[in-house]
Each structure stands twice: as structure tokens, then as C-alpha cells.
Coordinates of all heavy atoms in Angstrom, one line a residue:
M9 N 0.8 -1.2 0.0 CA 0.0 0.0 0.0 C 0.9 1.3 0.0 O 1.9 1.3 0.6 CB -0.9 0.0 1.2 CG -1.8 1.2 1.3 SD -2.8 1.3 2.8 CE -4.2 0.3 2.2
T10 N 0.5 2.3 -0.7 CA 1.3 3.5 -0.7 C 1.2 4.3 0.6 O 0.1 4.4 1.1 CB 0.7 4.4 -1.9 OG1 0.7 3.7 -3.1 CG2 1.4 5.7 -2.0
D11 N 2.3 4.7 1.0 CA 2.4 5.5 2.3 C 2.1 7.0 1.9 O 2.8 7.6 1.2 CB 3.8 5.4 2.9 CG 3.9 6.3 4.1 OD1 2.8 6.8 4.6 OD2 5.0 6.4 4.7
V12 N 1.0 7.5 2.3 CA 0.6 8.9 2.0 C 0.8 9.8 3.2 O 0.4 11.0 3.2 CB -0.9 8.9 1.5 CG1 -1.0 8.2 0.2 CG2 -1.8 8.5 2.5
S13 N 1.5 9.3 4.3 CA 1.6 10.1 5.5 C 2.4 11.4 5.3 O 2.2 12.3 6.1 CB 2.2 9.2 6.6 OG 3.5 8.9 6.3
R14 N 3.3 11.5 4.3 CA 4.0 12.7 4.1 C 3.3 13.7 3.2 O 3.8 14.8 3.0 CB 5.4 12.3 3.6 CG 6.3 11.7 4.6 CD 7.8 11.5 4.0 NE 7.8 10.7 2.9 CZ 8.0 9.4 2.9 NH1 8.2 8.7 4.1 NH2 8.0 8.6 1.8
L15 N 2.2 13.3 2.6 CA 1.5 14.2 1.7 C 0.9 15.3 2.5 O 0.4 15.1 3.6 CB 0.5 13.4 0.9 CG 1.1 12.4 -0.1 CD1 -0.1 11.7 -0.8 CD2 1.9 13.1 -1.2
P16 N 0.8 16.5 1.9 CA 0.1 17.6 2.5 C -1.4 17.3 2.7 O -1.9 16.5 1.9 CB 0.3 18.8 1.5 CG 1.3 18.4 0.6 CD 1.4 16.9 0.6
A17 N -2.0 18.0 3.6 CA -3.4 17.8 3.8 C -4.2 18.2 2.6 O -3.7 19.0 1.8 CB -3.9 18.7 5.0
V18 N -5.3 17.6 2.4 CA -6.2 17.9 1.2 C -6.8 19.3 1.4 O -8.0 19.3 1.7 CB -7.2 16.8 1.0 CG1 -7.9 17.0 -0.3 CG2 -6.5 15.4 0.9
V19 N -6.0 20.3 1.3 CA -6.5 21.7 1.4 C -6.0 22.3 0.1 O -4.9 22.2 -0.3 CB -5.9 22.3 2.6 CG1 -6.3 23.8 2.7 CG2 -6.3 21.6 3.8
A20 N -6.9 23.1 -0.6 CA -6.6 23.7 -1.9 C -5.2 24.4 -1.9 O -4.5 24.3 -2.8 CB -7.7 24.6 -2.3
E21 N -4.9 25.2 -0.8 CA -3.7 25.9 -0.8 C -2.4 25.1 -0.9 O -1.4 25.5 -1.4 CB -3.6 26.9 0.5 CG -4.7 27.9 0.6 CD -5.9 27.3 1.3 OE1 -5.8 26.9 2.5 OE2 -7.0 27.3 0.7
N22 N -2.5 23.8 -0.4 CA -1.4 22.9 -0.4 C -1.1 22.4 -1.8 O 0.0 21.9 -2.1 CB -1.6 21.8 0.5 CG -1.6 22.3 1.9 OD1 -1.0 23.3 2.3 ND2 -2.1 21.4 2.8
W23 N -2.1 22.4 -2.7 CA -2.0 21.8 -4.0 C -2.1 22.8 -5.2 O -1.9 22.4 -6.3 CB -3.0 20.7 -4.1 CG -2.8 19.6 -3.1 CD1 -3.4 19.5 -1.9 CD2 -1.9 18.5 -3.2 NE1 -2.9 18.4 -1.2 CE2 -2.0 17.8 -2.0 CE3 -1.0 18.0 -4.2 CZ2 -1.3 16.6 -1.8 CZ3 -0.3 16.9 -4.0 CH2 -0.4 16.2 -2.8
D24 N -2.6 24.0 -4.9 CA -2.9 25.0 -5.9 C -1.7 25.2 -6.8 O -2.0 25.5 -8.1 CB -3.3 26.3 -5.2 CG -3.7 27.4 -6.2 OD1 -4.6 27.1 -7.0 OD2 -3.1 28.4 -6.2
W25 N -0.5 25.2 -6.4 CA 0.6 25.4 -7.2 C 0.6 24.5 -8.4 O 1.1 24.9 -9.5 CB 1.9 25.3 -6.5 CG 2.2 24.0 -5.8 CD1 1.8 23.6 -4.6 CD2 2.9 22.9 -6.5 NE1 2.2 22.3 -4.4 CE2 2.9 21.8 -5.5 CE3 3.5 22.7 -7.7 CZ2 3.5 20.6 -5.8 CZ3 4.1 21.5 -8.0 CH2 4.1 20.5 -7.1
Q26 N 0.1 23.3 -8.3 CA 0.2 22.3 -9.4 C -0.6 22.8 -10.6 O -0.4 22.4 -11.7 CB -0.3 21.0 -8.9 CG 0.7 20.3 -7.9 CD 0.4 18.9 -7.6 OE1 -0.7 18.4 -8.1 NE2 1.2 18.2 -6.9
M27 N -1.6 23.7 -10.3 CA -2.4 24.2 -11.4 C -1.7 25.1 -12.3 O -2.1 25.4 -13.4 CB -3.7 24.9 -10.8 CG -4.5 24.1 -9.9 SD -5.3 22.7 -10.7 CE -6.6 23.5 -11.5
R28 N -0.6 25.7 -11.8 CA 0.2 26.7 -12.5 C 1.5 26.2 -13.0 O 2.3 26.9 -13.5 CB 0.4 27.9 -11.6 CG -0.8 28.6 -11.2 CD -0.7 29.7 -10.2 NE -0.5 29.3 -8.8 CZ 0.5 29.6 -8.1 NH1 1.5 30.3 -8.5 NH2 0.6 29.1 -6.8
G29 N 1.8 24.9 -12.9 CA 3.0 24.4 -13.4 C 3.1 24.4 -14.9 O 2.1 24.2 -15.6
A30 N 4.3 24.6 -15.4 CA 4.5 24.7 -16.8 C 4.3 23.3 -17.5 O 4.0 23.2 -18.7 CB 6.0 25.1 -17.1
C31 N 4.3 22.3 -16.7 CA 4.0 20.9 -17.2 C 2.6 20.5 -17.3 O 2.3 19.5 -17.7 CB 4.8 19.9 -16.3 SG 4.3 19.9 -14.6
R32 N 1.7 21.4 -16.8 CA 0.3 21.1 -16.7 C -0.2 20.7 -18.1 O 0.0 21.5 -19.1 CB -0.5 22.2 -16.2 CG -2.0 21.9 -16.0 CD -2.5 22.6 -14.7 NE -3.9 22.2 -14.6 CZ -4.3 21.1 -14.0 NH1 -3.5 20.3 -13.4 NH2 -5.6 20.8 -13.8
G33 N -0.8 19.5 -18.2 CA -1.4 19.1 -19.4 C -0.5 18.4 -20.3 O -0.9 17.8 -21.4
M34 N 0.8 18.3 -20.0 CA 1.8 17.6 -20.8 C 1.8 16.2 -20.5 O 1.3 15.7 -19.4 CB 3.2 18.2 -20.5 CG 3.4 19.6 -21.0 SD 5.1 20.1 -20.8 CE 5.1 21.7 -21.5
D35 N 2.4 15.4 -21.3 CA 2.6 14.0 -21.1 C 3.5 13.7 -19.9 O 4.7 14.1 -19.9 CB 3.2 13.4 -22.4 CG 3.3 11.9 -22.3 OD1 3.0 11.3 -21.3 OD2 3.6 11.3 -23.4
A36 N 3.0 13.0 -18.9 CA 3.8 12.8 -17.7 C 5.1 12.0 -18.0 O 6.0 11.9 -17.2 CB 2.9 12.1 -16.7
A37 N 5.1 11.2 -19.1 CA 6.2 10.4 -19.5 C 7.5 11.2 -19.7 O 8.5 10.7 -19.7 CB 5.9 9.6 -20.7
V38 N 7.3 12.5 -19.9 CA 8.5 13.4 -20.0 C 9.2 13.5 -18.7 O 10.4 13.6 -18.6 CB 8.1 14.8 -20.5 CG1 9.3 15.7 -20.5 CG2 7.5 14.7 -21.9
F39 N 8.4 13.4 -17.6 CA 9.0 13.6 -16.2 C 9.3 12.4 -15.4 O 10.0 12.4 -14.4 CB 8.0 14.5 -15.4 CG 7.9 15.9 -16.1 CD1 7.0 16.2 -17.1 CD2 8.7 16.9 -15.6 CE1 6.9 17.4 -17.7 CE2 8.6 18.2 -16.2 CZ 7.7 18.4 -17.3
F40 N 8.7 11.3 -15.9 CA 8.9 10.0 -15.2 C 9.4 8.9 -16.1 O 8.8 8.6 -17.1 CB 7.6 9.6 -14.5 CG 7.0 10.6 -13.6 CD1 6.1 11.5 -14.0 CD2 7.5 10.7 -12.3 CE1 5.6 12.5 -13.2 CE2 7.0 11.6 -11.4 CZ 6.0 12.5 -11.9
H41 N 10.5 8.3 -15.7 CA 11.1 7.2 -16.6 C 10.3 6.0 -16.6 O 9.6 5.7 -15.6 CB 12.5 7.0 -16.2 CG 12.7 6.4 -14.8 ND1 12.5 5.1 -14.5 CD2 13.0 7.0 -13.6 CE1 12.6 4.8 -13.2 NE2 12.9 6.0 -12.6
F42 N 10.5 5.2 -17.7 CA 9.8 3.9 -17.7 C 10.9 2.9 -17.2 O 12.1 3.2 -17.0 CB 9.4 3.6 -19.1 CG 10.5 3.6 -20.2 CD1 11.4 2.6 -20.4 CD2 10.6 4.8 -21.0 CE1 12.4 2.7 -21.3 CE2 11.6 4.9 -22.0 CZ 12.5 3.8 -22.2
D43 N 10.4 1.7 -16.9 CA 11.3 0.6 -16.4 C 12.5 0.4 -17.3 O 12.4 0.3 -18.6 CB 10.5 -0.7 -16.3 CG 9.6 -0.7 -15.1 OD1 9.7 0.2 -14.2 OD2 8.7 -1.5 -15.0
N44 N 13.6 0.4 -16.7 CA 14.9 0.1 -17.4 C 15.3 1.2 -18.4 O 16.2 0.8 -19.2 CB 14.8 -1.3 -18.1 CG 14.5 -2.4 -17.1 OD1 15.1 -2.5 -16.0 ND2 13.7 -3.3 -17.5
E45 N 14.8 2.3 -18.4 CA 15.2 3.4 -19.2 C 16.6 3.8 -18.8 O 16.9 3.9 -17.6 CB 14.3 4.6 -19.1 CG 14.7 5.8 -19.9 CD 14.0 7.1 -19.6 OE1 14.2 7.5 -18.4 OE2 13.3 7.6 -20.4
R46 N 17.5 4.0 -19.7 CA 18.9 4.4 -19.3 C 19.6 5.1 -20.5 O 19.0 5.2 -21.6 CB 19.7 3.2 -18.8 CG 19.8 2.1 -19.8 CD 20.4 0.9 -19.2 NE 20.4 -0.2 -20.1 CZ 20.9 -1.4 -20.0 NH1 21.5 -1.6 -18.8 NH2 20.8 -2.3 -20.9
G47 N 20.9 5.4 -20.3 CA 21.7 5.9 -21.4 C 21.1 7.2 -22.0 O 20.5 8.1 -21.3
L48 N 21.3 7.4 -23.3 CA 21.0 8.6 -24.1 C 19.5 8.9 -24.0 O 19.1 10.1 -23.9 CB 21.4 8.5 -25.5 CG 22.9 8.9 -25.8 CD1 23.2 8.8 -27.3 CD2 23.2 10.3 -25.3
V49 N 18.7 7.9 -24.1 CA 17.2 8.0 -24.0 C 16.8 8.7 -22.7 O 16.1 9.7 -22.7 CB 16.5 6.7 -24.2 CG1 15.0 6.8 -23.9 CG2 16.8 6.1 -25.6
R50 N 17.4 8.2 -21.6 CA 17.1 8.8 -20.4 C 17.6 10.2 -20.2 O 16.9 11.1 -19.7 CB 17.6 7.9 -19.2 CG 17.3 8.4 -17.8 CD 17.7 7.4 -16.8 NE 17.2 7.8 -15.5 CZ 16.7 7.0 -14.6 NH1 16.6 5.7 -14.9 NH2 16.2 7.3 -13.5
R51 N 18.8 10.4 -20.7 CA 19.4 11.7 -20.6 C 18.6 12.7 -21.4 O 18.3 13.8 -20.9 CB 20.9 11.7 -21.0 CG 21.5 13.1 -20.8 CD 23.1 13.1 -20.7 NE 23.7 12.0 -21.2 CZ 24.6 12.1 -22.2 NH1 24.9 13.2 -22.8 NH2 25.3 11.0 -22.6
H52 N 18.2 12.4 -22.6 CA 17.5 13.3 -23.4 C 16.1 13.6 -22.8 O 15.7 14.8 -22.8 CB 17.4 12.8 -24.8 CG 18.6 12.9 -25.6 ND1 18.8 12.0 -26.7 CD2 19.8 13.5 -25.4 CE1 20.0 12.3 -27.1 NE2 20.6 13.2 -26.4
R53 N 15.4 12.6 -22.3 CA 14.1 12.9 -21.6 C 14.3 13.8 -20.4 O 13.6 14.7 -20.3 CB 13.5 11.5 -21.2 CG 12.1 11.8 -20.6 CD 11.6 10.5 -19.9 NE 12.6 9.9 -18.9 CZ 12.8 10.4 -17.7 NH1 12.2 11.5 -17.3 NH2 13.7 9.9 -16.9
E54 N 15.3 13.5 -19.6 CA 15.6 14.4 -18.4 C 15.9 15.8 -18.8 O 15.4 16.7 -18.1 CB 16.6 13.7 -17.5 CG 16.2 12.5 -16.8 CD 17.3 11.9 -15.9 OE1 18.4 12.3 -16.0 OE2 16.9 11.0 -15.1
E55 N 16.7 16.0 -19.8 CA 17.0 17.3 -20.3 C 15.8 18.0 -20.8 O 15.6 19.3 -20.5 CB 18.0 17.3 -21.4 CG 19.5 16.9 -20.9 CD 20.5 16.6 -22.0 OE1 20.1 16.7 -23.2 OE2 21.6 16.3 -21.6
S56 N 14.9 17.3 -21.5 CA 13.6 18.0 -21.9 C 12.8 18.4 -20.7 O 12.2 19.5 -20.7 CB 12.8 17.0 -22.8 OG 13.5 16.7 -24.0
A57 N 12.6 17.5 -19.8 CA 11.9 17.8 -18.6 C 12.5 19.0 -17.8 O 11.7 20.0 -17.4 CB 11.8 16.6 -17.6
K58 N 13.8 19.0 -17.6 CA 14.4 20.1 -16.9 C 14.3 21.5 -17.6 O 14.2 22.5 -17.0 CB 15.9 19.8 -16.6 CG 16.0 18.6 -15.6 CD 17.5 18.2 -15.4 CE 17.6 17.1 -14.4 NZ 19.0 16.6 -14.3
E59 N 14.3 21.4 -19.0 CA 14.1 22.6 -19.8 C 12.7 23.2 -19.5 O 12.6 24.4 -19.3 CB 14.3 22.3 -21.2 CG 14.5 23.6 -22.1 CD 13.2 24.3 -22.4 OE1 12.2 23.7 -22.6 OE2 13.2 25.5 -22.4
I60 N 11.8 22.4 -19.4 CA 10.4 22.8 -19.1 C 10.4 23.4 -17.7 O 9.8 24.5 -17.5 CB 9.4 21.7 -19.2 CG1 9.3 21.2 -20.7 CG2 8.0 22.1 -18.7 CD1 8.6 19.8 -20.9
C61 N 11.0 22.7 -16.7 CA 11.0 23.2 -15.4 C 11.7 24.6 -15.3 O 11.4 25.4 -14.4 CB 11.7 22.2 -14.5 SG 10.9 20.6 -14.3
S62 N 12.7 24.8 -16.1 CA 13.5 26.0 -16.0 C 12.7 27.3 -16.3 O 13.1 28.3 -15.9 CB 14.7 26.0 -17.0 OG 14.3 26.1 -18.3
R63 N 11.5 27.1 -16.9 CA 10.7 28.3 -17.2 C 9.3 28.1 -16.5 O 8.3 28.8 -16.8 CB 10.5 28.4 -18.7 CG 10.0 27.2 -19.4 CD 10.1 27.4 -21.0 NE 10.0 26.2 -21.6 CZ 8.9 25.5 -21.9 NH1 7.7 26.0 -21.5 NH2 8.9 24.4 -22.6
C64 N 9.3 27.3 -15.4 CA 8.1 27.1 -14.7 C 8.0 28.2 -13.5 O 8.9 28.4 -12.8 CB 8.1 25.7 -14.1 SG 6.7 25.3 -13.1
P65 N 6.8 28.8 -13.4 CA 6.6 29.8 -12.4 C 6.5 29.2 -11.0 O 6.4 29.9 -10.0 CB 5.3 30.5 -12.8 CG 4.5 29.4 -13.6 CD 5.6 28.6 -14.3
V66 N 6.3 27.9 -10.8 CA 6.1 27.3 -9.5 C 7.2 26.3 -9.2 O 7.0 25.3 -8.4 CB 4.7 26.7 -9.3 CG1 3.7 27.8 -9.3 CG2 4.4 25.7 -10.4
R67 N 8.4 26.5 -9.8 CA 9.5 25.6 -9.6 C 9.8 25.4 -8.1 O 10.1 24.3 -7.6 CB 10.7 26.1 -10.4 CG 11.9 25.2 -10.4 CD 12.9 25.7 -11.3 NE 14.1 24.8 -11.2 CZ 15.2 25.0 -11.9 NH1 15.3 25.9 -12.8 NH2 16.2 24.2 -11.7
A68 N 9.9 26.6 -7.4 CA 10.3 26.5 -6.0 C 9.3 25.6 -5.2 O 9.6 24.8 -4.3 CB 10.4 27.9 -5.4
E69 N 8.0 25.9 -5.4 CA 6.9 25.1 -4.7 C 7.0 23.7 -5.1 O 6.8 22.8 -4.2 CB 5.6 25.7 -5.1 CG 5.2 27.1 -4.6 CD 5.7 28.2 -5.6 OE1 6.6 28.0 -6.4 OE2 5.1 29.3 -5.4
C70 N 7.3 23.3 -6.3 CA 7.4 22.0 -6.8 C 8.5 21.3 -6.0 O 8.4 20.1 -5.6 CB 7.6 22.0 -8.2 SG 7.7 20.3 -9.0
L71 N 9.7 21.9 -6.0 CA 10.8 21.3 -5.3 C 10.6 21.2 -3.9 O 10.9 20.1 -3.3 CB 12.0 22.2 -5.6 CG 13.4 21.7 -5.0 CD1 13.6 20.3 -5.5 CD2 14.5 22.6 -5.3
E72 N 10.0 22.1 -3.2 CA 9.7 22.0 -1.8 C 8.7 20.9 -1.5 O 8.9 20.1 -0.6 CB 9.0 23.3 -1.3 CG 8.5 23.3 0.1 CD 9.4 22.8 1.2 OE1 10.6 23.1 1.0 OE2 9.0 22.2 2.2
H73 N 7.7 20.7 -2.4 CA 6.8 19.6 -2.3 C 7.6 18.2 -2.4 O 7.4 17.3 -1.6 CB 5.8 19.6 -3.4 CG 4.8 18.5 -3.4 ND1 3.8 18.2 -2.5 CD2 4.9 17.3 -4.2 CE1 3.3 17.1 -2.8 NE2 3.9 16.5 -3.8
A74 N 8.5 18.1 -3.4 CA 9.2 16.9 -3.6 C 10.1 16.5 -2.4 O 10.1 15.4 -1.9 CB 10.0 16.9 -4.8
V75 N 10.7 17.5 -1.8 CA 11.6 17.3 -0.7 C 10.8 17.0 0.6 O 11.1 16.1 1.3 CB 12.6 18.5 -0.4 CG1 13.3 18.4 0.9 CG2 13.5 18.6 -1.6
S76 N 9.7 17.7 0.8 CA 8.9 17.5 2.0 C 8.2 16.2 2.0 O 7.9 15.6 3.1 CB 8.0 18.7 2.3 OG 7.0 18.7 1.3
T77 N 7.8 15.7 0.8 CA 7.2 14.4 0.7 C 8.1 13.3 0.4 O 7.7 12.1 0.3 CB 6.1 14.5 -0.3 OG1 6.6 14.7 -1.6 CG2 5.0 15.5 0.0
E78 N 9.4 13.6 0.3 CA 10.5 12.6 0.0 C 10.2 11.9 -1.3 O 10.3 10.7 -1.4 CB 10.7 11.7 1.2 CG 11.1 12.5 2.4 CD 11.6 11.6 3.6 OE1 11.7 10.4 3.4 OE2 12.1 12.2 4.6
E79 N 9.8 12.7 -2.3 CA 9.5 12.2 -3.6 C 10.8 12.0 -4.4 O 11.5 13.0 -4.6 CB 8.5 13.1 -4.3 CG 8.2 12.7 -5.7 CD 7.5 11.3 -5.8 OE1 6.3 11.3 -5.4 OE2 8.2 10.4 -6.2
T80 N 11.1 10.8 -4.8 CA 12.4 10.6 -5.5 C 12.2 10.0 -6.9 O 13.2 9.5 -7.5 CB 13.4 9.8 -4.7 OG1 12.8 8.5 -4.4 CG2 13.8 10.5 -3.4
Y81 N 11.0 9.9 -7.3 CA 10.7 9.3 -8.6 C 10.3 10.4 -9.6 O 9.3 11.1 -9.4 CB 9.6 8.3 -8.6 CG 9.1 7.7 -9.9 CD1 10.1 7.1 -10.7 CD2 7.8 7.8 -10.3 CE1 9.7 6.6 -12.0 CE2 7.4 7.2 -11.5 CZ 8.4 6.7 -12.3 OH 8.0 6.1 -13.5
G82 N 11.1 10.6 -10.6 CA 10.8 11.6 -11.6 C 11.6 12.9 -11.4 O 12.4 13.0 -10.6
I83 N 11.3 13.9 -12.3 CA 11.8 15.2 -12.2 C 10.9 16.1 -11.5 O 9.7 16.2 -11.9 CB 12.0 15.7 -13.7 CG1 12.9 14.8 -14.5 CG2 12.6 17.1 -13.6 CD1 14.3 14.7 -14.1
W84 N 11.4 16.8 -10.5 CA 10.6 17.7 -9.7 C 11.3 19.0 -9.5 O 12.5 18.9 -9.1 CB 10.2 17.1 -8.3 CG 9.3 15.9 -8.4 CD1 9.6 14.6 -8.7 CD2 7.9 15.9 -8.1 NE1 8.5 13.8 -8.6 CE2 7.4 14.6 -8.3 CE3 6.9 16.9 -7.8 CZ2 6.1 14.2 -8.1 CZ3 5.6 16.5 -7.6 CH2 5.2 15.2 -7.8
G85 N 10.8 20.1 -9.7 CA 11.4 21.4 -9.5 C 12.7 21.5 -10.3 O 13.6 22.2 -9.8
G86 N 12.8 20.8 -11.3 CA 14.0 20.9 -12.2 C 15.1 20.0 -11.8 O 16.2 20.1 -12.4
L87 N 14.9 19.2 -10.8 CA 16.0 18.3 -10.3 C 15.6 16.9 -10.6 O 14.5 16.5 -10.6 CB 16.2 18.4 -8.8 CG 16.7 19.8 -8.3 CD1 16.9 19.7 -6.8 CD2 17.9 20.2 -9.1
G88 N 16.6 16.0 -10.9 CA 16.5 14.7 -11.2 C 16.5 13.9 -9.9 O 16.7 14.4 -8.8
E89 N 16.4 12.5 -10.1 CA 16.3 11.7 -8.9 C 17.5 11.7 -8.0 O 17.4 11.7 -6.8 CB 15.9 10.3 -9.4 CG 14.6 10.3 -10.1 CD 14.2 8.9 -10.7 OE1 15.0 8.0 -10.6 OE2 13.1 8.8 -11.2
D90 N 18.7 11.7 -8.5 CA 19.9 11.7 -7.7 C 20.0 13.0 -6.9 O 20.3 12.9 -5.7 CB 21.2 11.5 -8.5 CG 21.3 10.1 -9.2 OD1 20.6 9.2 -8.7 OD2 22.1 10.0 -10.1
A91 N 19.7 14.1 -7.5 CA 19.7 15.4 -6.8 C 18.7 15.4 -5.7 O 18.9 15.9 -4.6 CB 19.6 16.5 -7.8
L92 N 17.5 14.9 -6.0 CA 16.4 14.9 -5.0 C 16.8 14.0 -3.8 O 16.6 14.4 -2.7 CB 15.1 14.3 -5.6 CG 14.4 15.3 -6.6 CD1 13.3 14.5 -7.3 CD2 13.9 16.5 -5.9
R93 N 17.4 12.9 -4.1 CA 17.9 12.0 -3.0 C 18.9 12.7 -2.1 O 18.8 12.6 -0.9 CB 18.4 10.7 -3.5 CG 17.4 9.7 -4.0 CD 18.0 8.4 -4.3 NE 17.1 7.6 -5.0 CZ 17.1 7.5 -6.4 NH1 18.0 8.1 -7.1 NH2 16.1 6.9 -7.1
R94 N 19.8 13.4 -2.7 CA 20.8 14.1 -2.0 C 20.2 15.2 -1.1 O 20.5 15.4 0.1 CB 21.9 14.8 -2.9 CG 22.8 13.7 -3.4 CD 24.1 14.4 -4.1 NE 23.7 15.2 -5.2 CZ 23.6 14.8 -6.5 NH1 23.9 13.5 -6.8 NH2 23.3 15.6 -7.4
L95 N 19.2 16.0 -1.7 CA 18.5 17.0 -0.9 C 17.7 16.4 0.3 O 17.8 17.0 1.4 CB 17.6 17.8 -1.8 CG 18.0 19.1 -2.4 CD1 16.9 19.7 -3.2 CD2 18.5 20.1 -1.4
I96 N 17.0 15.4 0.0 CA 16.2 14.7 1.0 C 17.1 14.2 2.2 O 16.8 14.4 3.4 CB 15.3 13.6 0.5 CG1 14.3 14.3 -0.4 CG2 14.7 12.7 1.6 CD1 13.6 13.3 -1.3
A97 N 18.3 13.6 1.8 CA 19.2 13.1 2.8 C 19.8 14.2 3.6 O 19.9 14.1 4.8 CB 20.3 12.3 2.1
A98 N 20.1 15.4 3.0 CA 20.6 16.5 3.7 C 19.6 17.1 4.6 O 19.9 17.5 5.8 CB 21.0 17.6 2.7
K99 N 18.3 17.1 4.2 CA 17.3 17.6 5.1 C 17.1 16.7 6.3 O 16.8 17.2 7.4 CB 16.0 17.7 4.3 CG 14.8 18.3 5.1 CD 13.5 18.2 4.4 CE 12.4 18.6 5.3 NZ 11.1 18.3 4.9
R100 N 17.2 15.4 6.0 CA 17.1 14.5 7.2 C 18.2 14.7 8.2 O 18.0 14.6 9.5 CB 17.1 13.0 6.7 CG 15.8 12.6 6.1 CD 15.9 11.1 5.7 NE 14.7 10.6 5.2 CZ 14.6 9.4 4.7 NH1 15.6 8.6 4.6 NH2 13.4 9.0 4.2
R101 N 19.4 15.0 7.7 CA 20.6 15.2 8.6 C 20.4 16.5 9.4 O 20.8 16.6 10.5 CB 21.8 15.2 7.8 CG 22.3 13.8 7.4 CD 23.7 13.9 6.9 NE 23.9 14.8 5.7 CZ 23.7 14.5 4.4 NH1 23.4 13.2 4.1 NH2 23.9 15.4 3.5
S102 N 19.8 17.5 8.7 CA 19.7 18.8 9.3 C 18.3 19.3 9.0 O 18.1 20.2 8.1 CB 20.7 19.7 8.7 OG 20.6 21.0 9.2
P103 N 17.2 18.9 9.8 CA 15.9 19.2 9.4 C 15.5 20.7 9.5 O 14.6 21.2 8.9 CB 15.1 18.4 10.4 CG 16.0 18.0 11.5 CD 17.4 18.0 10.9
G104 N 16.2 21.5 10.4 CA 15.9 22.9 10.6 C 14.5 23.1 11.2 O 13.7 22.2 11.5
P105 N 14.1 24.4 11.3 CA 12.8 24.7 11.9 C 11.6 24.3 11.0 O 11.8 24.4 9.8 CB 12.8 26.2 12.1 CG 13.9 26.7 11.1 CD 14.8 25.5 10.9
E106 N 10.5 23.8 11.5 CA 9.4 23.5 10.7 C 8.5 24.7 10.5 O 8.4 25.6 11.2 CB 8.6 22.4 11.5 CG 9.3 21.0 11.3 CD 9.3 20.5 9.9 OE1 8.3 20.6 9.2 OE2 10.3 19.9 9.5
Ligands
SF4_4 S1 9.0 22.6 -11.7 FE1 8.8 21.2 -13.5 S2 7.7 19.3 -12.7 FE2 7.4 21.1 -11.2 S3 5.4 21.9 -11.8 FE3 7.0 23.1 -12.8 S4 7.3 22.1 -14.8 FE4 6.1 20.7 -13.5

């Protein structure tokens, strides 16, 4: 079963940013890899996603969401999975004020 305990409460303000994302309405396959994807195919897909993120008005909100919910699958806030894992690990080591 999926653990949803880290997801924000179902309150419109917590999710409203998603309505303004540059990726809204796009094919999610640009942002999420398929099984066993690797090499140039993976790199090109990730570069395409990051280019979209680079002009997104809610990039900061998207990244904050990914880190706070410990989301490591896909491209979020312009970062790939390795970068997200590093940020999440750093936050766990030094959580700071809530
Ligand atoms: S930062 Fe990227 S993944 Fe996040 S909402 Fe914007 S376009 Fe979508």
C-alpha cells in the first residue's frame, strides 16, 4: 500500500501550485522514466523535462513539495532523482525549523 503520510493535507492551498505548473497538461512520461530506461534516451528525456522546469513559475513550490514528501521518482522542481535523494538526505541530517 502507498504511504501517504508525508503528503500535505487535502487543502486547496497545499496543491494549488500544481495548477500553475509549466508541465500542466503535458505527457507525464517526459517527467517519469519507464522501467529500465537508461543511457541517451534517459538523458534526453531528463534534459527535456528540466528545460520545461527552467521556465516554470512554480518551480520552488514543486521542489519544496518533492523534498517535504520525500519524492524521488521523476523530475521535480528541475531536479532529477539523484539530486532529489541528496537534498532529502541533507534535510534528514539537518531538518531545521518546521
Ligand atoms: S517545476 Fe517542473 S515538474 Fe514542477 S510543476 Fe514546474 S514544470 Fe512541472
